[in-house]
Amino acid sequence: MDLPLDPTENDAPPQELVRRLPSQAARRRVLRAADVSIDVDDRNFAETLDELSQIQLRRAASQLRFAGARTVYYYRIDGLRRVSPDGATGPTGDVGSPGAYGPEVQTAVRDHDRIYVVCNVPETGTQTQLTLSKENRPTTVATFEPGTDLLAVRAPDDGTADATVRAVTRYLDADGATRVSFLDGGFRGRFEDACVDGYSTLRLRNTNAGDNTREIEVRSEESDDGRVSDVRHDAIVRTLLRRGDCEIDAATGLVTVADDAATDRDDSPRRRVTIGFPDGRVTFDQFVPERVLIRFDNVVRTSLRR
């Protein structure tokens, strides 16, 4: 099953969506996020799933329908705050770029007190083969909380994400989209304080055009118990980060995303992610349910505030 789903093309019942998740771990995460307690490892799992109430099944489906894309790009849009929830939802009829082969808005729905705009976008954002069926184009999802200016776009690459934003801003009649940079205005420090537990790899970019060295990559040494040291504590890395001609390009590490079931940060689940700092991009290494993505979006939005 390809995620995220395009609701205009998929009418599978919630039970089937849960069964077709890529792994037992993914099923467990989705059901936990939906506050449904059943054993996914039990041999009677399918029968137990069928016995759940329709309310429970709908909650589970809402945790996975839009959560398939592991990479999220963040944009600030000036006019997004003015978009009303009622005006943003409903059938769209392939609203998007002129012509049959540009990015298209398929539908817009409200769930989790958010708006989800589902798009059909050519790979990398442009269509060069006009004979290619539009059914072969990936489904992307843009989502935002009404009254805020942060748009989170779940897309496989930069070009597809940018094309999604073009279709969404045209549909919502909201101008002024700017890709978020995690390097701007103290954002990185606030973001790291809020959720980053450590980086196992760090790639630095040399901004001095006169030097021969373009990139520096640092990797931590794994301990005997499998834990990874945070490379930010290394004296050499601290020195490099203080230099005016070095900036963080990307990092792989662990982030903590607060969970209702956790009493404090130490009990919250940790997720391995790769962060593209200039790109405003975060890639989750594993499938995560909608609840985690929403809370991560909230961390980004809060960290942007000055």
Side-chain angles (χ1 to χ4, degrees), residues 174-244:
D175 297 324
T178 305
R179 178 89 66 83
V180 169
S181 170
F182 284 13
L183 300 177
D184 289 347
F187 171 86
R188 181 171 68 86
R190 293 190 294 269
F191 171 74
E192 290 177 343
D193 289 343
C195 69
V196 173
D197 296 303
Y199 297 134
S200 58
T201 66
L202 191 63
R203 188 170 71 231
L204 301 171
R205 177 185 298 162
N206 184 357
T207 60
N208 189 343
D211 292 343
N212 291 326
T213 302
R214 295 268 64 84
E215 292 182 351
I216 302 169
E217 185 166 305
V218 182
R219 293 180 178 272
S220 67
E221 182 178 1
E222 291 194 17
S223 60
D224 293 338
D225 58 5
R227 290 184 299 178
V228 177
S229 302
D230 185 357
V231 296
R232 292 177 298 175
H233 298 316
D234 190 281
I236 296 176
V237 174
R238 289 201 300 268
T239 299
L240 290 171
L241 289 175
R242 286 195 294 266
R243 290 179 54 141

Side-chain angles (χ1 to χ4, degrees), residues 78-95:
D78 295 339
L80 200 59
R81 291 180 183 273
R82 299 191 297 271
V83 175
S84 70
D86 291 338
T89 58
T92 61
D94 287 357
V95 176

Side-chain angles (χ1 to χ4, degrees), residues 71-145:
T71 300
V72 186
Y73 294 83
Y74 291 98
Y75 298 78
R76 296 184 85 159
I77 300 178
D78 295 339
L80 200 59
R81 291 180 183 273
R82 299 191 297 271
V83 175
S84 70
D86 291 338
T89 58
T92 61
D94 287 357
V95 176
S97 297
Y101 295 96
E104 297 172 344
V105 173
Q106 297 300 308
T107 190
V109 299
R110 190 172 188 181
D111 199 2
H112 303 283
D113 296 321
R114 298 169 70 86
I115 303 298
Y116 293 85
V117 184
V118 181
C119 299
N120 183 272
V121 183
E123 290 185 3
T124 72
T126 59
Q127 182 66 64
T128 56
Q129 294 176 302
L130 297 182
T131 57
L132 184 64
S133 169
K134 72 176 186 178
E135 283 74 21
N136 293 327
R137 300 182 299 176
T139 296
T140 61
V141 174
T143 180
F144 66 97
E145 183 178 322

Side-chain angles (χ1 to χ4, degrees), residues 17-39:
L17 297 180
V18 174
R19 290 192 193 102
R20 289 161 58 190
L21 279 165
S23 66
Q24 297 287 81
R27 292 179 184 175
R28 192 175 294 110
R29 294 187 196 109
V30 162
L31 292 171
R32 180 176 181 271
D35 298 318
V36 176
S37 298
I38 61 174
D39 185 0

